[in-house]
Amino acid sequence: MPKQRKLPQRPTNTEIRRIMLQYFYERNKNATSARGKKGSAVKISDVKKQLKVSHGLTQQEVQSNLTYLISQGWVEEDKIEKSFTAPSGTVIPSSTSYYKITAAGIDKIEGEGEFTMPKFHGVNINATGQNIITLGDGNQINAEFGELGKALVELREGIINSDAAEADKMSFVADIDTIQSQLAKPSPNKVKAAAAINGCAGLVTHVAGFISGLLT
């Protein structure tokens, strides 16, 4: 019996993401306009077409990994809203999405440089009104949560200054940001505790005193 020919092995998702991020990087690097044929931002149909020709990627591979790159902040969607009037007089809205690399995506390829923003910023608390407190990152909470806000600042800084892995830091800081964004809701989402990070157990306990029902 004749030997069956082995199908070529498909690239892994990680390899596809590298290919795609490099594609957006090169497009931005060589762009002469914001959008269009020579633009840094490109339609998904063109992304799929060009990556099929250059790397043999399928539409499914491009779409699923584009979703991942966007969710991680390496690529962003640039949506253009338009509208047109039908013969009947009805105004019909329409939108066209373009995709381009972000500053974080460029730094991923080039490495961090002089203009790279720090991953973590200190959070300052300022009273902007009788019942509102504005955090340094723009989140606003009720004044009654002022002590919790201060405790979260201390915990956030403790995590940032710890020797934990960068991925763990980002995960726990994201949880703190989640708490800040959830404070106005009657049933805030559950979040993880960062007590596992050396030096943060006491801070977590302090925060837990204010939000004991939110930590898992």
Side-chain angles (χ1 to χ4, degrees):
M1 293 180 62
K3 293 183 178 179
Q4 291 185 342
R5 297 176 62 183
K6 291 184 178 180
L7 295 175
Q9 187 173 359
R10 300 301 303 164
T12 65
N13 283 330
T14 297
E15 292 170 336
I16 293 172
R17 290 162 192 165
R18 290 196 191 108
I19 290 170
M20 292 181 64
L21 192 61
Q22 187 68 40
Y23 163 82
F24 285 109
Y25 174 81
E26 294 295 338
R27 188 172 185 96
N28 179 73
K29 182 179 178 181
N30 298 313
T32 57
S33 62
R35 306 178 197 89
K37 188 174 182 180
K38 295 292 184 179
S40 55
V42 58
K43 294 180 182 179
I44 184 61
S45 57
D46 292 327
V47 176
K48 292 176 178 178
K49 184 186 302 181
Q50 292 169 15
L51 288 178
K52 179 179 180 180
V53 172
S54 62
H55 292 86
L57 300 183
T58 67
Q59 293 188 25
Q60 292 84 354
E61 288 172 333
V62 171
Q63 185 64 61
S64 63
N65 285 288
L66 177 60
T67 299
Y68 179 86
L69 292 173
I70 292 173
S71 67
Q72 292 292 334
W74 306 125
V75 174
E76 66 182 1
E77 181 181 11
D78 181 12
K79 184 176 290 187
I80 306 301
E81 303 285 353
K82 295 182 180 179
S83 63
F84 64 94
T85 304
S88 61
T90 303
V91 177
I92 302 175
S94 67
S95 64
T96 303
S97 292
Y98 294 81
Y99 300 90
K100 61 183 179 181
I101 193 169
T102 62
I106 293 173
D107 286 341
K108 175 70 173 175
I109 292 177
E110 294 183 350
E112 295 184 357
E114 177 183 354
F115 296 98
T116 302
M117 291 290 290
K119 289 186 176 66
F120 303 107
H121 302 280
V123 179
N124 299 314
I125 298 179
N126 299 298
T128 57
Q130 186 175 1
N131 299 315
I132 297 295
I133 289 178
T134 300
L135 304 180
D137 55 5
N139 287 328
Q140 292 187 332
I141 62 175
N142 292 332
E144 64 182 287
F145 297 123
E147 290 300 317
L148 169 57
K150 293 177 183 178
L152 288 172
V153 169
E154 293 174 359
L155 177 57
R156 200 176 197 273
E157 292 298 324
I159 293 171
I160 292 170
N161 296 324
S162 74
D163 57 359
E166 193 77 353
D168 290 336
K169 289 184 182 182
M170 294 183 72
S171 175
F172 289 124
V173 167
D175 284 334
I176 291 174
D177 293 340
T178 297
I179 295 174
Q180 294 171 352
S181 65
Q182 292 291 322
L183 287 179
K185 297 182 179 181
S187 299
N189 293 340
K190 297 283 186 178
V191 295
K192 300 176 183 177
I197 294 182
N198 292 335
C200 292
L203 295 172
V204 170
T205 301
H206 185 46
V207 171
F210 297 106
I211 52 171
S212 58
L214 301 184
L215 297 176
T216 60

